């Protein structure tokens, strides 16, 4: 391993043996040993196959992949939590993983005691934590609460304290899972500020995400893991493109109808029967059309139709409803089928989007909220790494007669 | 030494914090707090004392029976606390194991040290009873130090073995509960070995816990407590059997735990 390399992953394989019936009592050990001889009842799941890549010192490195791709297993192997079945992972120096904030936090202890406990988890001695205690507390803005038990903290306060601890960690390699960037907008901003600072200070960071905008903005290079294998390794932009392409290939454009697996909630009375997005892959088209159909199960009045669009990181990008738009829905009779069509200007930056239609009463009671009803993907020739990408018109005026084309 | 400290720095830091946390949490929310560490063994002991001297005079004829009984109970409680408490220790920390990589033996070591603190607090109670019971203390009492070391190693070895086994086989906790119940009566805690037929006593004393408790009583309270060598007619080499059992447990428990600990995160 050369001096330039911070992490080297060499032909890593990871298998999980999944017994069809978990052997966790001695009786089943005996019976399953007999079964094994009779033909075997366990199944080997290949979570990772032949993964190799290396990360240079000072690099911001992305690992992307869908849920279930093996991305999280890779993360745990890098963190030393799981052992590879074969192959090696070598790390130069100390690697600190942030798979979750506030590891080891105990609700029964005070904020102060938890700082010391979490500090120990991160490898800081009592003295070292004492030295930076004031900074940690003031960064978390929790001066008045440190002698209260953690269980009396709001979840926001807990996250603030944990994050304040995390930013103190002195690691040669930081492993950051995207779950870090959850919480309110203010906290997300703080997180991303921290990422920017890490990048500026040339820290080696491994960032795991399926938010292509974040990958594009922060990472120098990235790898894409799909179906347990490494699909592409290269510049963050190339990898992000490849990732977006995967959804284009798998996206169906028949629209969605509710099935047994559909996640929906509400009191009913009127429900959506169909949701369809056109086109399911949007590039330069100026607008996007979402068509919905709802069927009334009984007479209802004072209802509001709404639509919500989220990105892959579960952030609400946009949405509206008939009430906000000043449209009053007249009495709907039992058995009526109502079609509501939504035309939305194409403001979407690259990535996958989730469409959630809802019907509520004007007083707020929910009739039908259909989670993740359908999805669409944006894949543009030029995009931004930010939340939205409305079509900009840029004009540049030069003092002389040069044109931008001639440059 | 510096190098050794550097290598185990993380383990030492973690160990200190875990022991501290454990101690803080133990009596949290109780009005008397740490006082319970002394009060609890004292009250439990009073019950046993009443039962076994007043109602059921098992200890009749045993000189300094209260001190004799108390010492046995305290040593046994340490052993029970470490082993029974450790069975589910690894599984109980499953959440943590899946999120960060740290030396797993620290978990078991931390619960052993917590129990050791308790043992020292209990020793204060023993000291009080010894003082007021007019038990003559000789230099032999210093033998307690190697005996505590043996006890520590014995208990932690079993703790390593049980906690690692429990990750794969949840039967372990039930089995151990039964074993402990049987061992409590097979170990001369409530009774004097003199009252057991000689051929059984010869067998019972091979148990390292019986050997430790009898040796401790012999060293602290007096020669009425028969040591393993007394039972085997003065043969000093016989000590090698309980010590050997402890050593075998230490090696097998330690190496099994070490080999399995890599996979705890996946299996818990």
């Amino acid at each position: 391993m050369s001096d330039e390399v911070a992490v080297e992953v060499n032909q890593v394989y990871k298998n999980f043996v999944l017994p069809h019936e978990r052997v966790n009592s001695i009786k089943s050990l005996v019976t399953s040993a007999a079964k094994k001889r009779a033909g075997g009842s366990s199944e080997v799941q290949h979570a990772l196959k032949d993964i190799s890549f290396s990360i240079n010192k000072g690099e911001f490195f992305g690992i992307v992949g869908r849920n279930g791709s093996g991305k999280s297993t890779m993360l745990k192997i890098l963190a030393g939590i799981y052992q590879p079945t074969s192959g090696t992972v070598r790390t130069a120096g100390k690697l600190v993983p942030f798979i979750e904030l506030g590891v080891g936090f105990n609700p029964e202890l005070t904020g102060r005691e938890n700082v010391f406990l979490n500090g120990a988890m991160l490898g800081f001695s009592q003295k070292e934590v004492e030295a930076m205690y004031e900074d940690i507390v003031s960064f978390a803005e929790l001066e008045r609460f440190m002698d209260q038990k953690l269980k009396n903290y709001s979840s926001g306060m807990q996250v603030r304290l944990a994050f304040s601890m995390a930013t103190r960690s002195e690691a040669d390699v930081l492993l950051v899972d995207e779950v870090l960037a959850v919480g309110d907008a203010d906290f997300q901003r703080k997180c991303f500020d921290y990422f920017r600072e890490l990048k500026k200070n040339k820290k080696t960071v491994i960032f795991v995400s399926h938010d292509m905008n974040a990958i594009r903005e922060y990472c120098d290079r990235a790898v894409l893991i799909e179906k347990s294998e490494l699909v592409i390794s290269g510049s963050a932009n190339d990898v992000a493109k490849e990732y977006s392409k995967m959804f284009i290939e798998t996206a169906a454009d028949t629209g969605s109808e509710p099935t047994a697996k559909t996640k929906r909630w509400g009191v009913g009375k009127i429900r959506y029967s169909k949701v369809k997005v056109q086109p399911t892959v949007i590039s330069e088209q100026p607008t996007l059309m979402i068509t919905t159909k709802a069927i009334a199960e009984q007479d209802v009045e004072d209802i509001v139709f709404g639509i919500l669009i989220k990105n892959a990181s579960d952030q609400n990008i946009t949405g509206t409803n008939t009430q906000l738009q000043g449209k009053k829905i007249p009495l709907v009779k039992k058995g009526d089928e109502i079609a509501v069509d939504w035309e939305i200007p194409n403001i979407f930056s690259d990535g996958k989007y989730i469409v959630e239609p809802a019907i509520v009463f004007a007083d707020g009671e929910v009739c039908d909220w259909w989670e993740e009803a359908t999805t669409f993907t944006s894949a543009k020739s030029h995009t931004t790494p930010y939340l939205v990408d409305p079509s900009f018109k840029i004009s540049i005026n030069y003092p002389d007669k040069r044109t931008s084309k001639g440059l | 030494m510096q190098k050794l400290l550097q290598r185990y720095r993380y383990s030492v830091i973690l160990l200190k914090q875990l022991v501290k946390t454990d101690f803080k949490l133990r009596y949290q929310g109780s009005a008397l707090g740490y006082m319970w560490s002394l009060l609890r063994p004292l009250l439990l002991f009073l019950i046993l004392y009443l039962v076994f001297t007043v109602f059921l005079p098992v200890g009749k004829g045993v000189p300094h029976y209260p001190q004799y009984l108390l010492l046995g109970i305290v040593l046994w409680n340490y052993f029970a606390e470490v082993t029974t408490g450790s069975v589910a220790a690894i599984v109980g920390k499953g959440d943590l194991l899946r999120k960060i990589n740290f030396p797993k033996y620290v978990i078991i070591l931390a619960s052993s040290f917590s129990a050791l603190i308790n043992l020292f607090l209990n020793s204060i109670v023993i000291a009080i009873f010894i003082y007021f019971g007019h038990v003559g203390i000789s230099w032999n009492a210093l033998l307690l130090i190697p005996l505590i070391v043996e006890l520590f190693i014995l208990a932690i070895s079993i703790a390593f073995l049980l906690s690692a086994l429990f990750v794969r086989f949840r039967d372990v906790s039930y089995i151990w509960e039964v074993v402990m119940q049987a061992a409590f009566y097979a170990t001369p805690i409530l009774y004097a070995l003199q009252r057991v037929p000689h051929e059984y006593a010869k067998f019972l004393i091979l148990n390292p816990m019986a050997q430790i408790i009898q040796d401790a009583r012999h060293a602290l309270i007096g020669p009425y407590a028969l040591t393993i060598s007394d039972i085997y007619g003065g043969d000093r080499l016989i000590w090698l059997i309980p010590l050997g059992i402890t050593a075998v447990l230490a090696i097998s428990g330690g190496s099994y735990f070490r080999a399995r600990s890599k996979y705890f995160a996946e299996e818990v």
Side-chain angles (χ1 to χ4, degrees):
Chain A
M1 200 157 107
S2 81
D3 283 353
E4 297 296 300
V5 177
V7 179
E8 191 176 82
V9 176
N10 198 6
Q11 296 181 322
V12 163
Y13 285 79
K14 179 69 189 173
N15 300 337
F16 288 108
V17 180
L18 304 170
H20 282 149
E21 210 176 320
R22 228 196 106 115
V23 185
N24 50 12
S25 72
I26 287 174
K27 178 183 157 243
S28 57
L29 177 74
V30 175
T31 53
S32 76
K35 262 189 229 158
K36 212 168 256 173
R37 223 166 290 142
S41 70
S42 66
E43 182 185 4
V44 176
Q45 185 203 7
H46 303 280
L48 290 174
K49 287 184 219 158
D50 197 14
I51 308 281
S52 299
F53 58 85
S54 71
I55 301 166
N56 294 327
K57 282 185 182 153
E59 208 168 22
F60 217 113
F61 193 87
I63 298 179
V64 301
R66 286 193 265 196
N67 291 335
S69 60
K71 178 182 61 163
S72 301
T73 307
M74 190 66 241
L75 174 80
K76 290 197 168 175
I77 288 178
L78 283 171
I81 296 168
Y82 288 173
Q83 300 294 317
T85 307
S86 72
T88 54
V89 174
R90 280 189 293 180
T91 312
K94 188 176 150 198
L95 182 144
V96 173
F98 288 108
I99 292 173
E100 195 183 277
L101 283 173
V103 167
F105 267 10
N106 189 317
E108 291 297 326
L109 296 173
T110 65
R112 187 187 153 78
E113 287 163 338
N114 270 300
V115 166
F116 284 93
L117 185 61
N118 186 243
M121 281 283 152
L122 298 175
F124 290 114
S125 71
Q126 180 100 9
K127 264 195 196 141
E128 286 167 329
V129 180
E130 267 161 21
M132 57 192 179
Y133 182 75
E134 295 297 322
D135 288 345
I136 291 169
V137 175
S138 65
F139 185 76
E141 299 163 27
L142 288 170
E143 288 88 346
R144 284 170 35 237
F145 302 97
M146 292 315 284
D147 290 320
Q148 279 188 29
K149 281 188 188 169
L150 199 73
K151 65 178 175 190
N152 298 329
Y153 281 33
S154 72
S155 57
M157 286 157 78
Q158 288 193 22
V159 169
R160 249 150 59 205
L161 185 62
F163 184 70
S164 179
M165 291 295 303
T167 58
R168 295 281 143 184
S169 68
E170 279 165 23
D172 301 305
V173 183
L174 268 172
L175 185 60
V176 187
D177 196 3
E178 63 188 341
V179 294
L180 267 194
V182 294
D184 55 29
D186 191 42
F187 178 69
Q188 285 195 354
R189 195 172 43 78
K190 250 185 175 177
C191 271
F192 285 120
D193 282 348
Y194 172 59
F195 288 174
R196 254 172 240 132
E197 199 185 299
L198 288 173
K199 195 170 162 65
K200 211 170 69 189
N201 296 340
K202 285 274 160 211
K203 287 263 185 191
T204 313
V205 180
I206 306 172
F207 180 56
V208 182
S209 182
H210 53 225
D211 175 3
M212 286 311 113
N213 295 336
I215 293 284
R216 276 202 183 89
E217 187 175 350
Y218 300 106
C219 295
D220 304 310
R221 287 196 305 135
V223 289
L224 169 61
I225 295 174
E226 170 67 6
K227 291 187 184 131
S228 316
E229 286 176 88
L230 195 143
V231 179
I232 177 175
S233 160
S235 77
N237 211 18
D238 291 349
V239 171
K241 271 252 135 58
E242 193 68 29
Y243 181 78
S244 305
K245 244 181 30 209
M246 279 177 2
F247 288 99
I248 299 171
E249 281 156 14
T250 56
D253 54 1
T254 51
S256 280
E257 283 172 30
T259 64
K261 274 203 248 162
T262 299
K263 278 191 287 180
R264 66 194 309 172
W265 51 281
V267 295
K269 298 178 188 169
I270 176 165
R271 285 186 198 276
Y272 284 108
S273 57
K274 194 172 174 92
V275 180
K276 187 175 171 180
V277 186
Q278 269 177 318
T280 51
V281 178
I282 188 163
S283 52
E284 314 308 324
Q285 294 90 330
T287 59
L288 182 81
M289 192 69 156
I290 299 174
T291 52
T292 61
K293 280 199 179 97
I295 296 173
E297 291 157 2
Q298 60 188 70
D299 294 359
V300 282
E301 58 180 334
D302 271 341
I303 55 168
V304 177
F305 292 97
I307 200 102
L308 175 65
I309 298 175
K310 299 189 199 178
N311 68 8
S313 340
D314 220 28
Q315 286 166 304
N316 299 340
I317 299 302
T318 187
T320 190
N321 64 42
T322 48
Q323 194 175 38
L324 289 171
Q325 300 288 332
K327 288 192 187 348
K328 195 164 163 45
I329 311 292
L331 175 74
V332 177
K333 284 255 164 45
K334 182 180 177 180
D336 280 356
E337 189 182 73
I338 315 283
V340 188
D341 296 347
W342 315 77
E343 191 181 301
I344 304 160
N346 180 2
I347 53 155
F348 302 100
S349 52
D350 277 12
K352 187 187 173 188
Y353 293 87
I354 297 154
V355 178
E356 296 195 1
I359 307 170
V360 298
F361 283 110
D363 65 5
E365 191 182 24
V366 176
C367 301
D368 185 27
W369 193 300
W370 187 354
E371 290 181 15
E372 296 178 28
T374 188
T375 61
F376 67 91
T377 307
S378 169
K380 293 180 176 174
S381 53
H382 302 285
T383 189
T384 76
Y386 304 108
L387 274 190
V388 292
D389 182 19
S391 59
F392 285 98
K393 293 206 168 47
I394 307 174
S395 55
I396 309 171
N397 295 306
Y398 294 96
D400 51 21
K401 296 276 165 1
R402 274 184 300 175
T403 60
S404 123
K405 224 178 198 171
L407 274 174
Chain B
M1 187 65 194
Q2 199 65 37
K3 235 180 168 176
L4 205 69
L5 268 181
Q6 202 55 42
R7 191 175 157 197
Y8 291 104
R9 194 187 111 94
Y10 187 41
S11 304
V12 173
I13 289 173
L14 262 184
L15 183 63
K16 276 190 201 157
Q17 278 303 331
L18 289 180
V19 172
K20 229 183 249 176
T21 306
D22 194 54
F23 202 70
K24 269 182 207 151
L25 289 176
R26 189 167 296 192
Y27 295 105
Q28 214 184 40
S30 60
L32 293 177
Y34 298 139
M35 282 299 291
W36 278 113
S37 299
L38 291 174
L39 219 52
R40 192 170 142 265
L42 201 65
L43 293 174
L44 291 179
F45 169 70
L46 275 177
I47 297 170
L48 287 170
Y49 177 76
L50 276 178
V51 172
F52 291 105
T53 58
V54 181
F55 304 124
L56 272 176
V58 177
K60 217 174 187 180
V62 180
H64 303 296
Y65 181 71
Q67 291 77 9
Y68 188 91
L69 176 64
L70 182 59
L71 184 58
I73 292 281
V74 163
L75 293 176
W76 178 262
N77 279 352
Y78 170 82
F79 180 72
E81 189 184 337
V82 172
T83 56
T84 313
S86 293
V87 173
I90 296 293
V91 173
K93 288 262 190 289
D95 211 33
L96 202 56
L97 294 173
R98 268 180 254 116
K99 279 163 200 156
I100 196 163
N101 181 29
F102 64 97
K104 319 289 183 281
Y105 63 84
V106 172
I107 298 173
I108 304 299
L109 215 51
S111 58
S112 263
F113 277 115
S114 300
L116 203 60
I117 293 175
N118 253 1
L119 178 64
F120 283 121
L121 290 171
N122 286 342
S123 307
I124 298 173
V125 179
I126 300 180
I128 295 169
F129 273 83
I130 283 182
Y131 179 78
F132 287 106
H134 303 290
V135 181
I137 298 280
S138 71
W139 284 107
N140 273 346
L142 284 179
L143 280 172
L144 279 179
I145 295 166
L147 286 171
I148 299 283
V149 173
E150 189 193 347
L151 177 63
F152 183 84
I153 293 171
L154 175 71
I156 202 168
S157 307
I158 294 173
F160 277 134
L161 192 65
L162 293 177
S163 62
L165 279 171
F166 185 67
V167 173
R168 306 187 91 188
F169 311 108
R170 302 294 156 97
D171 307 54
V172 170
S173 65
Y174 306 111
I175 295 173
W176 190 247
E177 203 184 319
V178 176
V179 169
M180 283 302 277
Q181 192 63 250
F184 179 77
Y185 292 106
T187 308
I189 298 166
L190 302 176
Y191 53 86
L193 266 181
Q194 277 87 343
R195 304 191 69 172
V196 181
H198 190 65
E199 62 269 33
Y200 295 131
K202 269 183 128 169
F203 174 70
L204 290 182
I205 195 69
L206 295 178
N207 161 14
M209 268 319 283
Q211 170 252 318
I212 291 169
I213 289 175
Q214 287 301 96
D215 283 356
R217 284 167 171 168
H218 190 89
L220 202 61
I221 299 163
Y224 183 82
L226 299 175
T227 65
I228 186 166
S229 126
D230 295 336
I231 287 170
Y232 280 83
D235 181 1
R236 285 175 180 275
L237 281 178
I238 194 70
W239 257 300
L240 290 178
I241 292 183
L243 286 175
I245 293 172
T246 307
V248 168
L249 282 170
I251 292 164
S252 56
S255 54
Y256 183 70
F257 187 88
R258 205 183 134 102
R260 297 304 317 161
S261 65
K262 287 185 225 162
Y263 306 103
F264 285 163
E266 295 165 36
E267 290 177 347
V268 293

